[in-house]
Amino acid sequence: MSSTVAADLTPPPSGTVGRKPRGGNPLVRYIVVRFLLIFPTIFILVSIVFVVMRVIGDPITAAMGGRLTPDQLAQRIHAAGYDRPIIVQYVEYIGQVFTGNFGTSITDGRPIITIIGTYGGATLELAIYALIVALVVGIPLGMVAAYFRDRWPDAILRILAILWYATPVFFVGLLLKLVFSVWLDILPVAGRASTRTELDLDALPHPTGIYLIDAFQLGDPNAIGDVLAHAVLPGLALGFLTAGIFLRLTRTNVIGTLSMDYVDAARSRGVSEYRLVRKHAFKPALIPVITVIGLQIALLLGGAVLTETTFEWKGLGFELAQYLGSRDFVAVQGIVALLAVIVAVTNFIVDIIAALIDPRVRY
Amino acid sequence: MTEPVVVRRGSVWSRLPVLRQLRQSVGLQRGMLIVGLVISVAFVLTAIFAPILAPYGYAQLQDAQGNFGAQDPPGGKHLLGTTVGGYDVLSRVIWGAQTALLAIIIAVVLSVFLGILLGVISGYLGGWLDRVLVVIADAVYAFPTLLLAIVSAIIISGGQSNLWGGILASGVSITVVFIPQYFRVIRAEAVRIKSEAYVESAKVVGTSVLRIMLRHVLRNATRSLPLIITLNASEAIFTLAALGFLGFGIEPNSAAEWGYDLNKSISDVTSGIWWTSIFPGLAIVLVVLGVTLVGESLNDLADPRLRTRRRATGAPVTTADVSVVPGGTLDAVTITDGLEPRS
């Protein structure tokens, strides 16, 4: 997706220069232009978040409105600088963001960067589990569906994919909990680890915040098992959300490549059907899938907020929901802005990978 | 609509968007389309007739015989049981359809209108405005939907959650997220159409820019809209429910909302009480399923590569049912007609 942006946006003044294949590798030029495009993107996102959050007035009134006297309130607002002209606050905010300062939460006074550092690992861990589930489930099934196009395996898989799509991630989570934690009683209901393991992990000298790595650091097999058991249901819930998308996408693209002449040619040379799908049709179909993985990061982050709430998985999403509940909009603004930056950077990385795989993407 | 071109296509019935595809479809695709249509129609009817269908009001806690019990299992007076707060689950599921339908309508109307407007202007006029709009659309497109929805919900309702506050919050946030999608599609089409001969000739004749945009560009740029609209509708439901689930939805005494009910059922699930979560959840799944099935089939039917063809003729016209003459000279015309699904 972002590759089309880049194409639309051949930098206006240097556009004529860009036409000439003068000097340098086109890939390098693509990477540089694409990299420079991150900044306006981040700038726009952060500006939108700022404007939107200030339309409703100052955050201190929103958080403390009922609890302080008007005098105290005015004092707090003045101390935080929210009574200055909005444009001054905006310039200051943008400056802070570009130096990595996303503000300090009102309710508990923690800097947003600290919150991200503490809880980011948990969200990252969950997102990685989910991505693994999605790829392992979605891509092979998509290939099967494409190969058996319009026959019963395809029909079943497509209906399954639509069902996955139609089920909100928090409902999947509740169902999984109900079946595996309550009725079958084989997996933990919520949290990232049992209390004992959590205490052990926090006592580590250099905890990464990613519990699986920490559990390995601890070297206790029980802790590793405990951490993994807690990760199964959230990972599945969030993974299924994207698995359906990968399935549909792989199916459509493999169908496209399976009808190409070179696949017919390979088939007539006696290449086995398995090899045909696995090698000839799949590889070219992979490019759009990779690009979409990048887009899924946005979806995964959104889904993570809901999954974390369902499973009390103490990551960024869970914290975000807590701050929303306490109307701490500075914290919300900080977390949302930082997530936007993460999405922009991920999209950049994915675009570069896509360009490395497929020369046509470069310009 | 009075041009002779239109007459050639046959009766009005065969040209109505969904009905036309229904005739065109076969096998599984037809099955999916029909199931999708049935579910969608049932959903709309439930929403409209909720006051008649629901046994109790959405905020009703007692009847003539006294208070409803809390967490009563399904059966007896309460077909689907009662919630922690003592609401009747069935009634809230039925009333919830109304809230969901309102959210969909607002989201779709707003984003179709604004997205198309911006897309046509940006694509047809081009220039710096186009560049700026494309960058903004892309930035917004990459933004996690839910976060944008949360932020919009904060502005619109300030965190307070009455019926219209909640619905508008989800509607507007969906609009913000979907404008870039309509914008991209329509803009791409507008850029393509701009260089067509008929636009050129319209310019030569001295047609005003506004008229070219409305009559020539817009009319020809809207062919892939049905699919985006169905996607848009399911996203609207998801967002409304997700906001409710995060505690940013509509309070139970203002309206029934499935996401809110699911949020209240998290703790029920842990103690094995299943009826408070399963039924509102299934309602969401069913509605999205219906809308998606319609959209999915329409998408397949619009793409010649994905459409299951009816053997040799494959024509969407009424004669296709009767005559299957492989290679018949008469059908040669219809075949090309059938391969070009966008009329």
Side-chain angles (χ1 to χ4, degrees):
Chain A
M1 138 264 159
S2 312
S3 54
T4 51
V5 196
D8 289 336
L9 273 184
T10 329
S14 61
T16 43
V17 185
R19 291 284 146 75
K20 284 188 221 158
R22 180 166 56 122
N25 186 334
L27 179 63
V28 173
R29 205 180 59 218
Y30 173 77
I31 292 177
V32 170
V33 172
R34 187 62 193 76
F35 177 73
L36 292 178
L37 269 173
I38 291 185
F39 295 100
T41 310
I42 291 179
F43 179 74
I44 292 169
L45 287 178
V46 171
S47 304
I48 293 175
V49 174
F50 177 87
V51 170
V52 152
M53 300 299 292
R54 286 301 149 76
V55 168
I56 41 167
D58 73 285
I60 291 180
T61 314
M64 309 284 185
R67 276 170 279 165
L68 299 175
T69 64
D71 276 353
Q72 282 173 315
L73 211 57
Q75 203 183 351
R76 292 276 303 260
I77 291 173
H78 182 73
Y82 290 123
D83 53 352
R84 292 172 300 160
I86 195 95
I87 191 82
V88 175
Q89 293 182 43
Y90 173 69
V91 171
E92 188 188 79
Y93 180 71
I94 293 293
Q96 284 176 348
V97 163
F98 272 88
T99 53
N101 177 1
F102 286 84
T104 306
S105 87
I106 296 178
T107 39
D108 52 14
R110 287 187 295 178
I112 305 301
I113 283 293
T114 318
I115 299 174
I116 308 270
T118 317
Y119 299 102
T123 303
L124 182 70
E125 193 177 8
L126 178 61
I128 291 174
Y129 292 144
L131 203 57
I132 292 173
V133 170
L135 291 175
V136 166
V137 173
I139 291 183
L141 288 184
M143 283 160 71
V144 170
Y147 186 74
F148 291 100
R149 178 187 176 186
D150 293 334
R151 279 176 277 164
W152 64 266
D154 180 31
I156 291 173
L157 284 174
R158 291 192 66 194
I159 290 167
L160 199 69
I162 295 175
L163 264 178
W164 271 340
Y165 168 75
T167 316
V169 59
F170 44 91
F171 185 49
V172 175
L174 288 177
L175 285 180
L176 287 173
K177 251 168 118 162
L178 198 57
V179 173
F180 291 101
S181 311
V182 179
W183 287 341
L184 299 178
D185 196 18
I186 48 175
L187 287 168
V189 178
R192 293 179 64 198
S194 55
T195 321
R196 222 189 112 236
T197 318
E198 225 160 48
L199 287 175
D200 285 349
L201 293 179
D202 285 343
L204 279 171
H206 303 291
T208 56
I210 297 173
Y211 272 14
L212 189 59
I213 296 179
D214 289 350
F216 272 107
Q217 273 191 40
L218 198 66
D220 178 3
N222 288 333
I224 297 174
D226 184 50
V227 166
L228 282 177
H230 278 84
V232 174
L233 295 184
L236 283 179
L238 189 53
F240 282 155
L241 174 74
T242 23
I245 294 169
F246 285 128
L247 195 163
R248 283 143 61 106
L249 197 75
T250 312
R251 175 183 180 274
T252 314
N253 283 299
V254 172
I255 284 180
T257 47
L258 269 180
S259 62
M260 291 281 184
D261 287 343
Y262 68 83
V263 173
D264 281 341
R267 185 177 273 136
S268 64
R269 285 201 309 273
V271 174
S272 77
E273 289 292 309
Y274 174 76
R275 205 185 146 77
L276 214 58
V277 176
R278 186 78 187 69
K279 294 272 175 205
H280 295 253
F282 176 59
K283 276 211 177 152
L286 196 65
I287 296 162
V289 176
I290 289 177
T291 325
V292 168
I293 292 180
L295 289 181
Q296 297 320 311
I297 302 294
L299 183 69
L300 273 179
L301 282 176
V305 177
L306 296 166
T307 314
E308 287 176 7
T309 309
T310 316
F311 289 99
E312 286 162 50
W313 182 276
K314 298 213 169 52
L316 278 182
F318 186 79
E319 288 300 304
L320 183 68
Q322 302 298 314
Y323 284 122
L324 273 173
S326 55
R327 305 284 182 264
D328 183 345
F329 295 146
V330 175
V332 173
Q333 179 181 4
I335 296 175
V336 169
L338 197 96
L339 291 179
V341 172
I342 293 174
V343 170
V345 173
T346 326
N347 278 342
F348 163 69
I349 296 170
V350 169
D351 274 4
I352 298 303
I353 295 175
L356 288 174
I357 298 175
D358 184 2
R360 282 173 304 180
V361 173
R362 306 166 205 166
Y363 64 97
Chain B
M1 293 300 278
T2 48
E3 289 100 325
V5 194
V6 179
V7 182
R8 200 188 56 185
R9 297 286 173 185
S11 74
V12 181
W13 282 104
S14 59
R15 280 184 293 111
L16 279 179
V18 175
L19 281 179
R20 190 171 164 280
Q21 271 91 353
L22 192 59
R23 286 155 170 275
Q24 202 181 5
S25 58
V26 285
L28 178 67
Q29 278 173 0
R30 177 170 234 169
M32 280 166 55
L33 186 53
I34 291 175
V35 171
L37 284 175
V38 168
I39 297 176
S40 307
V41 169
F43 160 64
V44 173
L45 290 179
T46 310
I48 295 172
F49 296 109
I52 302 168
L53 291 172
Y56 305 101
Y58 51 80
Q60 195 174 338
L61 289 166
Q62 63 215 17
D63 58 8
Q65 285 121 51
N67 283 353
F68 298 163
Q71 298 181 321
D72 280 351
K77 221 168 68 170
H78 302 285
L79 221 51
L80 303 182
T82 57
T83 68
V84 178
Y87 297 114
D88 178 57
V89 175
L90 176 64
S91 306
R92 282 192 63 87
V93 168
I94 293 175
W95 281 101
Q98 212 167 52
T99 316
L101 185 65
L102 282 175
I104 291 180
I105 292 174
I106 290 179
V108 171
V109 168
L110 279 180
S111 40
V112 165
F113 180 73
L114 291 173
I116 290 181
L117 185 75
L118 290 174
V120 170
I121 291 176
S122 179
Y124 184 72
L125 296 182
W128 65 268
L129 179 72
D130 182 40
R131 283 213 188 82
V132 170
L133 283 176
V134 167
V135 175
I136 295 181
D138 261 85
V140 173
Y141 187 65
F143 207 84
T145 320
L146 184 63
L147 297 185
L148 210 55
I150 290 171
V151 172
S152 327
I154 294 176
I155 320 175
I156 290 174
S157 54
Q160 261 81 54
S161 338
N162 52 19
L163 172 65
W164 288 105
I167 289 181
L168 271 179
S170 84
V172 169
S173 47
I174 283 297
T175 306
V176 175
V177 176
F178 262 82
I179 285 177
Q181 300 206 12
Y182 288 97
F183 172 81
R184 283 153 168 278
V185 173
I186 298 294
R187 180 187 166 277
E189 289 283 305
V191 167
R192 185 183 62 80
I193 292 167
K194 184 164 77 168
S195 55
E196 295 273 340
Y198 57 82
V199 175
E200 293 285 323
S201 52
K203 270 190 213 154
V204 172
V205 183
T207 319
S208 73
V209 173
L210 188 68
R211 192 177 156 83
I212 293 182
M213 282 205 271
L214 286 179
R215 180 133 191 106
H216 300 280
V217 181
L218 183 61
R219 277 279 197 92
N220 289 295
T222 50
R223 57 191 189 191
S224 47
L225 283 188
L227 174 70
I228 318 183
I229 289 177
T230 59
L231 269 176
N232 195 339
S234 27
E235 286 294 326
I237 297 189
F238 279 151
T239 307
L240 180 70
L243 285 177
F245 187 75
L246 288 177
F248 252 62
I250 301 161
E251 291 296 326
N253 46 13
S254 315
E257 200 272 303
W258 297 327
Y260 175 91
D261 291 351
L262 279 174
N263 174 274
K264 293 294 158 209
S265 74
I266 300 181
S267 47
D268 293 356
V269 164
T270 316
S271 46
I273 294 166
W274 52 272
W275 57 89
T276 49
S277 54
I278 298 264
F279 297 115
L282 279 182
I284 299 176
V285 175
L286 261 183
V287 175
V288 177
L289 188 67
V291 177
T292 312
L293 281 174
V294 174
E296 181 90 343
S297 326
L298 292 185
N299 182 40
D300 283 6
L301 290 168
D303 186 342
R305 287 180 312 160
L306 294 175
R307 187 167 71 230
T308 318
R309 264 171 235 119
R310 195 178 303 199
R311 301 238 216 116
T313 56
V317 269
T318 34
T319 49
D321 287 304
V322 201
S323 68
V324 183
V325 191
T329 37
L330 264 177
D331 286 283
V333 189
T334 5
I335 289 168
T336 46
D337 226 5
L339 282 174
E340 188 58 66
R342 298 119 173 188
S343 47

